[in-house]
Each structure stands twice: as structure tokens, then as C-alpha cells.
Amino acid sequence: MDLIPDPRRAWPAQPGAGVFPLDGETVIEAQPGTEGVARWFRTAVGTATGLPFADDAGVVGAEDNRIVLGISPDIARELGPEGYRISVDAEAIRIEGGAAAGVFWGAQTVRQLLGPDAYRRAPLDPARAWSVPMTLIEDAPRFGWRGLMLDVSRHFMPKDGVLRYLDLLAAHKLNVFHFHLTDDQGWRVEIKKHPRLTEVGSWRSRTKWGHRASELWEEKPHGGYYTQDDIREIVAYAAERHITVVPEIDIPGHSQAAIAAYPELGNTDVIDTTSLTVWDTWGVTANVLAPTDNTLRFYEDVFEELLTLFPSTFIHVGGDECVKDQWKESPAAQARIAELGLADEDELQSWFIRHFDRWLAERGRRLIGWDEILEGGLAPGAAVSSWRGYAGGIAAAKAGHDVVMCPEQQVYLDHRQAAGDDEPMPIGYVRTLEDVYRFEPLPPELTEEEAAHVLGTQANVWTEVMHDSSRVDYQVFPRLAAFAEVAWSDLPAPAERDVADFEQRMTEHYRRLDALGVEYRPPGGPLPWQRRPAPNGDNASLGRPIEGAPPNV
């Protein structure tokens, strides 16, 4: 059936089973709690097929031409809330889930069974006959956190592009969208109490072209932001697709855009913060937040508004790559260290993070941050995104903290997909489709009890060299399909995984991506308009490829 992710169990409904035809008389019976799934099915699959999929209420003679959506306590017990069972026979397509999310993932599988044209936005042939093979499928995810992190700070993605990516996540049964909203190069979310964050912080005057070592610039302003209504729309759109949006507001490092907007947030006793602008290059800046009460109150204001927009239990605070040189030079920062009885600047960052951990916990939320937040001590309820490798996640899980595994050496999708000179703007290690398929989120060093702290995994997409949606597509796909199967399916050990079977199923999946308009990297290499010009002169340093296999750290 060429399904991706691969389901746990699938078999024909009976020997020699045929197909269940869909037509203009097919109705949807949406049992309590599944109304949202029915609405999505009519919108997505109905648009592609041209079929109305009417509500079965009051429809006479539809007993043997139905799609039945239901929530089953038995499935909840056996397969969990995201588990589902599909049963297709001569009378109906029945999709049962442990909760509405399970029903939704089952509906995504039925869409795959309909064929690639079920992913289009209009029917190619109004007279076409549609059918689903008579089959039984039982399925459930391996991990509860199956995510994609998208950086919209380095290069802004307009709202419609974000909604499109939510649909792409849903099509791959991914359920977390980590929304990287702020960084040195741009602030992307409206905060009404502090309007200069977007008035000033959302635009930079120019942009480094390529890696930070490049001497080239794109000499035009770049920016944009999401209004609070945009955010509400994005969150609601995600929720109907059973995707949680986890916002990230980066503190205390990666904050130059905020300091450019409000210079008092920076270390004013070390540098003239009024001279700072939204950063126009890449890397790690020394301009970090000052550890003052004013800074704490300012970001409490930010998070106060953020909590009204994002219902997610987890709020991401970054915490990575905080250069502490200014704190070492700042009399105010050193006075704060002495006042609090801290050992050093690492503990000062820990104090900063712990403040917001308590603040969020008091409001029923949980803090999550990059693995640097382990340095100097971590509050008991905080969770860790392990990005520098497995080590941070292992340490966090052994200390009783929840973890999301996203090691850069394995699942940073901004890293290049092949070693060829024609790969566009090559960054980092080579991570092929097969490499991602062999990624294992659970390190063997963890005991069963410690492994229970691994909430799941996510792939990360940093957009320094991704100037538009085409380039984002190229970097993300097809590798996100491999990652989705790793996150969902109960696969064998990495060396034992059937890559040939996965690649065979990808043949059909490429046709789905084509129908969705995804500008993925083809198996044979980049298309002519996707290729990088041959390195010479000015563009020789645009990329930053790293040779050899990535370390397993």
C-alpha cells in the first residue's frame, strides 16, 4: 500500500478483497468528538475529489455507502489516544481512534490509500472513479512528540507559508510545530505592550548572503511579523490538525533584535546599546540581555501576552549560545552574581532560566529550552531540547528531566543532503535520506525508566541560507518523510532497517509531494534551477560544508 509512515499492521480485509468505491452519494457519519475530522476530510479530500461527503443525518439509503468516524475506548486502551483502526469492507470505511487525534491520523492514512491525486486542490477529472482497497489497518505512534522546528527569524515565512507547512506536517503524522519566533536577526510576533519589538525588531536593513564567512550581501531590507490575530489563526489551524504549536522566545542570548528595539534590555554599562541594530549576519553575537529586574519584568510582559495566544503546555525559552563576555565585564551583572551568591556567569544564566521556569509553572505551563540550560543547574520541572548531540539529552533524562531528541549531527535539515558541488549553499555534514531513516532517537545508554523521559524527537530547520520557501522545501523534503517514519513507526535497530522498502514506498510518496507542490530534492540530485553555481571567486565561500561522518556525541 506504500504508506508513509509505515503502519504497525495492515492486511487485506479478506482473501481476494476488492475495493470500496467513493461517489457523490458517499456520506460521513461523524460520531461525537469527530466532527472536526469530518470537517477536515470534506475540505481536503472533498476538494481534491470533487465529492461532497454529506453528513449522513437524514440521508436515506446510505447504510452501505458510508465513512464512519468514531472514538473507541478499546482502541484508547490498546493503542493510545493517537492510535487508530481502519476497517474497509463492502459497506463502509470505518476509522476508529483512541481519541479525535487517532481518528485524524486514520483519515490521513485513508487519504494516502486514495492515491496521490487526493492531495490536489481540485479534481483533475470530475468523472474519475475513486476507491479505497478493502483492508484492515491498526496503527499507533512510537513517540508522543513528533516535531518540526522552523526558524522564521533568520528568514521570515509569511503566514500562508506557515499554514502550508502545518498541512505538510499533518500529512506526515507529525504533531508538534516548534515555532522559532525571535532571534538576533528578527522579532516575529506582535507584543502589544512593547510595540517596538515589531516596529523596529522585525526588520533588518540588509542580509548576509550565504555563510557568515561570505563577503556577499543582499542589500535590501528583510523582515515581517505575525499579528496576534495571525498567531490565533495559525494556532487554530494547527489544532484542527491535532498539531501543538510550541512558541520559542529566545533568552538571554540571541536577543539583539529585542535590544535594538529597547536598548535598556542590553548591558548598557558595557556597550552603547543605542547603537545596536537588528543583526544582519549569522553566527553568535555577544549582545545578550542584561540580568536586571527591568529585563525580567519586560519578558514577563512578553510571556503574559504569549500565553493568551498559545495554549501549549510547553513554552520554549531558547537558552542556547549565550555568550557571557559582557556579563563578565559588566559591574551590574557582577553585582547581581554577588547579590545572589552565585558561583559564576553560568549560574547567572541558570538563575535567569529558573526565574521563568517558576513564572511559567505558576501559570500552569512548562519551560523547555536548548540543552545549554543544563549548565549551572536546571529547575526540576524544566524539559530539554537536546541539540548539540545526544549527551545533553542523556544527562537530562538521567537527572529526571523530560527530553526532546534533536541532535544537530542527525536531524538538522539545513545540513546538506549530498556531497556534490551542485548542492545549493551547502552547510554542515552530509545527511542523506538514508541517514535520516537510520536515525535513532533513543540512545542505548538510557535505562527503561530513563528512556521514559524521552518525550520524542523533532527535526530542526534553521534558515540562515534559506531565502525563500523553495529552498526550505528543498532542505526539508524528502528527508522529513524519513524522519516522520522514525518518529511514528516501531522500526528495527538502525542497521537493520529496510531502506530498500522505504525507498520503494517513497516512489509513490514523491507523487504525493508533487501533487502538494513541494519542491523537494529529487533522488537523482538537484534540478537545474536548484543547483548551486560552480564555486569560483566571490561565491566560493558561500557555503560551509563539513567533511566526513558526523560525530556521535
Tab-separated table of all heavy atoms in Angstrom, residues 154-155 204 206-220 222 280-282 424-427 463-468 471 531-533 538-544:
chain	number	residue	atom	x	y	z
A	154	ARG	N	15.479	34.135	11.038
A	154	ARG	CA	16.568	34.437	10.097
A	154	ARG	C	15.990	34.812	8.726
A	154	ARG	O	16.414	35.781	8.111
A	154	ARG	CB	17.499	33.238	9.979
A	154	ARG	CG	18.605	33.186	11.024
A	154	ARG	CD	18.103	33.343	12.464
A	154	ARG	NE	19.164	33.206	13.439
A	154	ARG	CZ	19.483	32.064	14.036
A	154	ARG	NH1	18.802	30.952	13.766
A	154	ARG	NH2	20.465	32.015	14.909
A	155	HIS	N	15.032	34.036	8.239
A	155	HIS	CA	14.272	34.417	7.050
A	155	HIS	C	12.795	34.210	7.353
A	155	HIS	O	12.375	33.112	7.722
A	155	HIS	CB	14.708	33.624	5.818
A	155	HIS	CG	15.959	34.163	5.192
A	155	HIS	ND1	17.212	33.624	5.450
A	155	HIS	CD2	16.166	35.200	4.353
A	155	HIS	CE1	18.123	34.312	4.776
A	155	HIS	NE2	17.520	35.272	4.106
A	204	ARG	N	15.475	44.118	9.289
A	204	ARG	CA	16.902	44.429	9.224
A	204	ARG	C	17.177	45.089	7.880
A	204	ARG	O	16.476	44.845	6.888
A	204	ARG	CB	17.761	43.181	9.422
A	204	ARG	CG	17.526	42.045	8.448
A	204	ARG	CD	18.447	40.859	8.752
A	204	ARG	NE	18.252	39.779	7.786
A	204	ARG	CZ	17.504	38.685	8.001
A	204	ARG	NH1	16.866	38.538	9.162
A	204	ARG	NH2	17.398	37.744	7.081
A	206	ARG	N	19.751	44.858	5.776
A	206	ARG	CA	20.332	44.016	4.728
A	206	ARG	C	20.571	42.645	5.322
A	206	ARG	O	20.366	42.422	6.525
A	206	ARG	CB	21.630	44.606	4.187
A	206	ARG	CG	22.749	44.672	5.225
A	206	ARG	CD	24.045	45.165	4.614
A	206	ARG	NE	25.148	45.085	5.571
A	206	ARG	CZ	26.424	45.254	5.263
A	206	ARG	NH1	26.768	45.505	3.999
A	206	ARG	NH2	27.369	45.166	6.176
A	207	THR	N	21.040	41.708	4.497
A	207	THR	CA	21.205	40.323	4.951
A	207	THR	C	22.479	39.732	4.362
A	207	THR	O	22.756	39.896	3.159
A	207	THR	CB	19.995	39.471	4.515
A	207	THR	OG1	18.811	39.977	5.131
A	207	THR	CG2	20.174	38.020	4.905
A	208	LYS	N	23.241	39.059	5.204
A	208	LYS	CA	24.402	38.307	4.718
A	208	LYS	C	23.928	37.236	3.730
A	208	LYS	O	22.963	36.521	3.986
A	208	LYS	CB	25.128	37.653	5.894
A	208	LYS	CG	26.262	36.732	5.521
A	208	LYS	CD	27.433	37.481	4.904
A	208	LYS	CE	28.186	38.311	5.911
A	208	LYS	NZ	29.424	38.908	5.323
A	209	TRP	N	24.613	37.119	2.602
A	209	TRP	CA	24.254	36.129	1.597
A	209	TRP	C	25.182	34.930	1.730
A	209	TRP	O	26.370	35.017	1.471
A	209	TRP	CB	24.368	36.717	0.192
A	209	TRP	CG	23.913	35.768	-0.879
A	209	TRP	CD1	24.677	34.888	-1.576
A	209	TRP	CD2	22.576	35.583	-1.349
A	209	TRP	NE1	23.920	34.165	-2.452
A	209	TRP	CE2	22.615	34.576	-2.337
A	209	TRP	CE3	21.349	36.160	-1.035
A	209	TRP	CZ2	21.473	34.150	-3.016
A	209	TRP	CZ3	20.227	35.739	-1.709
A	209	TRP	CH2	20.291	34.740	-2.683
A	210	GLY	N	24.620	33.818	2.216
A	210	GLY	CA	25.414	32.619	2.397
A	210	GLY	C	25.904	32.497	3.826
A	210	GLY	O	25.338	33.059	4.765
A	211	HIS	N	26.976	31.740	3.994
A	211	HIS	CA	27.577	31.552	5.312
A	211	HIS	C	28.156	32.879	5.802
A	211	HIS	O	28.464	33.766	5.012
A	211	HIS	CB	28.669	30.478	5.230
A	211	HIS	CG	29.297	30.165	6.534
A	211	HIS	ND1	30.575	30.585	6.874
A	211	HIS	CD2	28.834	29.492	7.605
A	211	HIS	CE1	30.861	30.168	8.096
A	211	HIS	NE2	29.830	29.501	8.559
A	212	ARG	N	28.331	32.998	7.116
A	212	ARG	CA	28.814	34.266	7.673
A	212	ARG	C	30.205	34.644	7.164
A	212	ARG	O	30.591	35.811	7.233
A	212	ARG	CB	28.802	34.220	9.192
A	212	ARG	CG	29.667	33.157	9.838
A	212	ARG	CD	29.554	33.213	11.357
A	212	ARG	NE	30.285	32.158	12.036
A	212	ARG	CZ	29.772	30.981	12.357
A	212	ARG	NH1	28.516	30.707	12.043
A	212	ARG	NH2	30.496	30.071	12.980
A	213	ALA	N	30.978	33.665	6.642
A	213	ALA	CA	32.293	33.973	6.087
A	213	ALA	C	32.213	34.593	4.698
A	213	ALA	O	33.204	35.110	4.188
A	213	ALA	CB	33.152	32.705	6.028
A	214	SER	N	31.049	34.553	4.089
A	214	SER	CA	30.874	35.134	2.761
A	214	SER	C	31.040	36.649	2.813
A	214	SER	O	30.707	37.299	3.803
A	214	SER	CB	29.477	34.777	2.227
A	214	SER	OG	29.138	35.588	1.114
A	215	GLU	N	31.543	37.212	1.742
A	215	GLU	CA	31.672	38.665	1.644
A	215	GLU	C	30.489	39.288	0.909
A	215	GLU	O	30.481	40.496	0.644
A	215	GLU	CB	32.975	39.023	0.928
A	215	GLU	CG	34.223	38.552	1.682
A	215	GLU	CD	35.505	38.874	0.944
A	215	GLU	OE1	35.404	39.412	-0.178
A	215	GLU	OE2	36.591	38.594	1.488
A	216	LEU	N	29.475	38.479	0.600
A	216	LEU	CA	28.343	38.972	-0.185
A	216	LEU	C	27.187	39.375	0.719
A	216	LEU	O	26.966	38.789	1.782
A	216	LEU	CB	27.888	37.903	-1.169
A	216	LEU	CG	28.943	37.384	-2.156
A	216	LEU	CD1	28.330	36.372	-3.091
A	216	LEU	CD2	29.564	38.530	-2.935
A	217	TRP	N	26.408	40.368	0.257
A	217	TRP	CA	25.255	40.864	0.993
A	217	TRP	C	24.071	41.024	0.049
A	217	TRP	O	24.252	41.309	-1.133
A	217	TRP	CB	25.554	42.230	1.631
A	217	TRP	CG	26.644	42.188	2.638
A	217	TRP	CD1	27.999	42.309	2.388
A	217	TRP	CD2	26.508	41.985	4.041
A	217	TRP	NE1	28.696	42.193	3.558
A	217	TRP	CE2	27.815	42.003	4.592
A	217	TRP	CE3	25.419	41.798	4.884
A	217	TRP	CZ2	28.046	41.835	5.949
A	217	TRP	CZ3	25.661	41.645	6.244
A	217	TRP	CH2	26.947	41.663	6.764
A	218	GLU	N	22.895	40.823	0.599
A	218	GLU	CA	21.676	41.175	-0.115
A	218	GLU	C	21.271	42.556	0.401
A	218	GLU	O	20.797	42.692	1.533
A	218	GLU	CB	20.577	40.141	0.138
A	218	GLU	CG	19.354	40.364	-0.711
A	218	GLU	CD	18.307	39.272	-0.522
A	218	GLU	OE1	18.173	38.776	0.612
A	218	GLU	OE2	17.641	38.932	-1.508
A	219	GLU	N	21.495	43.553	-0.411
A	219	GLU	CA	21.348	44.941	0.034
A	219	GLU	C	19.900	45.421	-0.101
A	219	GLU	O	19.593	46.337	-0.859
A	219	GLU	CB	22.300	45.845	-0.745
A	219	GLU	CG	23.768	45.534	-0.528
A	219	GLU	CD	24.276	46.008	0.839
A	219	GLU	OE1	23.506	46.651	1.571
A	219	GLU	OE2	25.447	45.713	1.165
A	220	LYS	N	19.022	44.794	0.662
A	220	LYS	CA	17.642	45.270	0.731
A	220	LYS	C	17.071	44.864	2.081
A	220	LYS	O	17.504	43.875	2.685
A	220	LYS	CB	16.800	44.689	-0.405
A	220	LYS	CG	16.594	43.185	-0.359
A	220	LYS	CD	15.712	42.722	-1.521
A	220	LYS	CE	15.435	41.215	-1.440
A	220	LYS	NZ	14.592	40.747	-2.554
A	222	HIS	N	14.887	43.217	4.973
A	222	HIS	CA	14.187	41.934	5.084
A	222	HIS	C	13.460	41.903	6.414
A	222	HIS	O	13.983	42.337	7.440
A	222	HIS	CB	15.159	40.755	5.036
A	222	HIS	CG	14.481	39.427	5.246
A	222	HIS	ND1	13.922	38.709	4.199
A	222	HIS	CD2	14.212	38.721	6.365
A	222	HIS	CE1	13.363	37.607	4.673
A	222	HIS	NE2	13.522	37.591	5.995
A	280	ASP	N	22.469	41.718	10.957
A	280	ASP	CA	22.308	41.409	9.533
A	280	ASP	C	23.193	40.263	9.072
A	280	ASP	O	23.257	39.962	7.880
A	280	ASP	CB	22.575	42.650	8.674
A	280	ASP	CG	23.950	43.272	8.933
A	280	ASP	OD1	24.790	42.623	9.589
A	280	ASP	OD2	24.171	44.416	8.488
A	281	THR	N	23.891	39.619	9.999
A	281	THR	CA	24.741	38.492	9.625
A	281	THR	C	24.408	37.296	10.503
A	281	THR	O	23.471	37.330	11.298
A	281	THR	CB	26.225	38.881	9.717
A	281	THR	OG1	27.020	37.822	9.149
A	281	THR	CG2	26.659	39.130	11.151
A	282	TRP	N	25.179	36.229	10.364
A	282	TRP	CA	24.877	34.985	11.073
A	282	TRP	C	25.934	34.710	12.126
A	282	TRP	O	26.940	35.391	12.208
A	282	TRP	CB	24.803	33.815	10.089
A	282	TRP	CG	24.073	34.108	8.826
A	282	TRP	CD1	24.532	33.929	7.553
A	282	TRP	CD2	22.745	34.632	8.694
A	282	TRP	NE1	23.580	34.308	6.640
A	282	TRP	CE2	22.471	34.740	7.304
A	282	TRP	CE3	21.761	35.018	9.587
A	282	TRP	CZ2	21.266	35.219	6.801
A	282	TRP	CZ3	20.553	35.494	9.106
A	282	TRP	CH2	20.312	35.582	7.741
A	424	PRO	N	22.843	23.263	-3.391
A	424	PRO	CA	22.727	24.705	-3.161
A	424	PRO	C	23.206	25.094	-1.772
A	424	PRO	O	22.829	24.480	-0.775
A	424	PRO	CB	21.221	24.958	-3.321
A	424	PRO	CG	20.573	23.648	-3.024
A	424	PRO	CD	21.529	22.605	-3.499
A	425	MET	N	24.084	26.126	-1.721
A	425	MET	CA	24.560	26.708	-0.460
A	425	MET	C	24.833	25.634	0.592
A	425	MET	O	24.147	25.539	1.606
A	425	MET	CB	23.525	27.688	0.061
A	425	MET	CG	24.088	28.762	0.957
A	425	MET	SD	24.754	30.149	0.018
A	425	MET	CE	23.247	30.974	-0.491
A	426	PRO	N	25.815	24.751	0.387
A	426	PRO	CA	25.990	23.582	1.260
A	426	PRO	C	26.453	23.961	2.665
A	426	PRO	O	27.431	24.676	2.853
A	426	PRO	CB	27.052	22.761	0.525
A	426	PRO	CG	27.832	23.779	-0.251
A	426	PRO	CD	26.857	24.839	-0.645
A	427	ILE	N	25.737	23.451	3.660
A	427	ILE	CA	26.042	23.709	5.061
A	427	ILE	C	26.165	22.363	5.780
A	427	ILE	O	25.359	21.460	5.576
A	427	ILE	CB	24.922	24.538	5.731
A	427	ILE	CG1	24.790	25.897	5.044
A	427	ILE	CG2	25.189	24.712	7.231
A	427	ILE	CD1	25.975	26.808	5.187
A	463	THR	N	17.212	28.731	9.072
A	463	THR	CA	17.009	29.263	7.724
A	463	THR	C	17.993	30.346	7.311
A	463	THR	O	17.705	31.137	6.417
A	463	THR	CB	15.573	29.805	7.598
A	463	THR	OG1	15.376	30.866	8.551
A	463	THR	CG2	14.549	28.711	7.819
A	464	GLU	N	19.191	30.376	7.915
A	464	GLU	CA	20.142	31.410	7.514
A	464	GLU	C	20.361	31.445	6.003
A	464	GLU	O	20.444	32.527	5.416
A	464	GLU	CB	21.493	31.191	8.220
A	464	GLU	CG	21.505	31.548	9.686
A	464	GLU	CD	21.183	30.376	10.589
A	464	GLU	OE1	20.552	29.409	10.115
A	464	GLU	OE2	21.555	30.422	11.769
A	465	VAL	N	20.490	30.282	5.366
A	465	VAL	CA	20.781	30.256	3.930
A	465	VAL	C	19.550	29.893	3.103
A	465	VAL	O	19.672	29.559	1.928
A	465	VAL	CB	21.949	29.289	3.615
A	465	VAL	CG1	23.209	29.721	4.335
A	465	VAL	CG2	21.584	27.864	3.975
A	466	MET	N	18.369	29.979	3.719
A	466	MET	CA	17.137	29.632	3.010
A	466	MET	C	16.329	30.908	2.784
A	466	MET	O	15.568	31.345	3.635
A	466	MET	CB	16.323	28.614	3.807
A	466	MET	CG	17.083	27.327	4.066
A	466	MET	SD	16.114	26.126	4.987
A	466	MET	CE	17.415	25.170	5.740
A	467	HIS	N	16.507	31.510	1.624
A	467	HIS	CA	15.938	32.827	1.366
A	467	HIS	C	14.469	32.802	0.987
A	467	HIS	O	13.803	33.834	1.011
A	467	HIS	CB	16.735	33.527	0.255
A	467	HIS	CG	18.148	33.833	0.632
A	467	HIS	ND1	19.141	32.882	0.603
A	467	HIS	CD2	18.728	34.975	1.081
A	467	HIS	CE1	20.287	33.436	0.996
A	467	HIS	NE2	20.063	34.691	1.296
A	468	ASP	N	13.963	31.635	0.618
A	468	ASP	CA	12.560	31.575	0.215
A	468	ASP	C	12.009	30.178	0.482
A	468	ASP	O	12.738	29.268	0.897
A	468	ASP	CB	12.394	31.951	-1.267
A	468	ASP	CG	13.263	31.127	-2.201
A	468	ASP	OD1	13.521	29.935	-1.896
A	468	ASP	OD2	13.687	31.651	-3.246
A	471	ARG	N	13.618	27.021	-1.184
A	471	ARG	CA	14.819	26.479	-0.564
A	471	ARG	C	14.481	25.726	0.717
A	471	ARG	O	15.113	24.711	1.040
A	471	ARG	CB	15.810	27.604	-0.284
A	471	ARG	CG	17.127	27.117	0.325
A	471	ARG	CD	17.901	26.214	-0.648
A	471	ARG	NE	18.846	25.369	0.086
A	471	ARG	CZ	20.036	25.746	0.512
A	471	ARG	NH1	20.460	26.972	0.283
A	471	ARG	NH2	20.814	24.908	1.161
A	531	ARG	N	20.308	23.957	-8.526
A	531	ARG	CA	21.737	23.741	-8.353
A	531	ARG	C	22.473	25.006	-7.959
A	531	ARG	O	22.100	26.111	-8.335
A	531	ARG	CB	22.349	23.187	-9.645
A	531	ARG	CG	21.875	21.785	-9.980
A	531	ARG	CD	22.368	21.337	-11.354
A	531	ARG	NE	21.748	20.071	-11.727
A	531	ARG	CZ	21.621	19.651	-12.978
A	531	ARG	NH1	22.081	20.380	-13.976
A	531	ARG	NH2	21.030	18.493	-13.231
A	532	ARG	N	23.558	24.801	-7.254
A	532	ARG	CA	24.456	25.888	-6.904
A	532	ARG	C	25.385	26.161	-8.075
A	532	ARG	O	25.906	25.228	-8.697
A	532	ARG	CB	25.266	25.479	-5.683
A	532	ARG	CG	26.272	26.508	-5.217
A	532	ARG	CD	27.209	25.867	-4.212
A	532	ARG	NE	28.048	26.857	-3.569
A	532	ARG	CZ	29.233	26.595	-3.039
A	532	ARG	NH1	29.713	25.363	-3.106
A	532	ARG	NH2	29.933	27.537	-2.448
A	533	PRO	N	25.638	27.432	-8.368
A	533	PRO	CA	26.631	27.710	-9.410
A	533	PRO	C	27.977	27.130	-9.034
A	533	PRO	O	28.308	26.999	-7.855
A	533	PRO	CB	26.674	29.244	-9.442
A	533	PRO	CG	25.398	29.685	-8.811
A	533	PRO	CD	25.035	28.626	-7.815
A	538	ASP	N	33.883	35.049	-6.040
A	538	ASP	CA	33.048	35.617	-4.983
A	538	ASP	C	32.183	34.592	-4.280
A	538	ASP	O	31.914	34.724	-3.090
A	538	ASP	CB	32.146	36.717	-5.573
A	538	ASP	CG	32.941	37.952	-5.923
A	538	ASP	OD1	34.049	38.105	-5.381
A	538	ASP	OD2	32.439	38.763	-6.722
A	539	ASN	N	31.708	33.576	-5.016
A	539	ASN	CA	30.761	32.656	-4.371
A	539	ASN	C	31.438	31.406	-3.814
A	539	ASN	O	30.776	30.479	-3.393
A	539	ASN	CB	29.613	32.284	-5.310
A	539	ASN	CG	30.047	31.439	-6.493
A	539	ASN	OD1	31.172	30.939	-6.518
A	539	ASN	ND2	29.166	31.297	-7.470
A	540	ALA	N	32.766	31.382	-3.797
A	540	ALA	CA	33.456	30.183	-3.309
A	540	ALA	C	33.213	29.945	-1.830
A	540	ALA	O	33.274	28.810	-1.364
A	540	ALA	CB	34.953	30.299	-3.583
A	541	SER	N	32.951	31.009	-1.067
A	541	SER	CA	32.800	30.847	0.374
A	541	SER	C	31.353	30.935	0.831
A	541	SER	O	31.095	31.137	2.005
A	541	SER	CB	33.624	31.919	1.102
A	541	SER	OG	33.147	33.204	0.790
A	542	LEU	N	30.419	30.818	-0.097
A	542	LEU	CA	29.021	30.975	0.286
A	542	LEU	C	28.566	29.912	1.270
A	542	LEU	O	27.750	30.173	2.140
A	542	LEU	CB	28.123	30.924	-0.952
A	542	LEU	CG	28.178	32.141	-1.864
A	542	LEU	CD1	27.227	31.948	-3.033
A	542	LEU	CD2	27.841	33.410	-1.122
A	543	GLY	N	29.065	28.688	1.097
A	543	GLY	CA	28.631	27.596	1.954
A	543	GLY	C	29.641	27.281	3.047
A	543	GLY	O	30.678	27.936	3.186
A	544	ARG	N	29.289	26.257	3.833
A	544	ARG	CA	30.200	25.790	4.890
A	544	ARG	C	30.046	24.292	5.050
A	544	ARG	O	29.540	23.801	6.043
A	544	ARG	CB	29.907	26.502	6.205
A	544	ARG	CG	30.829	26.083	7.358
A	544	ARG	CD	30.487	26.875	8.612
A	544	ARG	NE	31.052	26.262	9.807
A	544	ARG	CZ	30.411	25.389	10.592
A	544	ARG	NH1	29.176	25.018	10.300
A	544	ARG	NH2	30.986	24.885	11.657
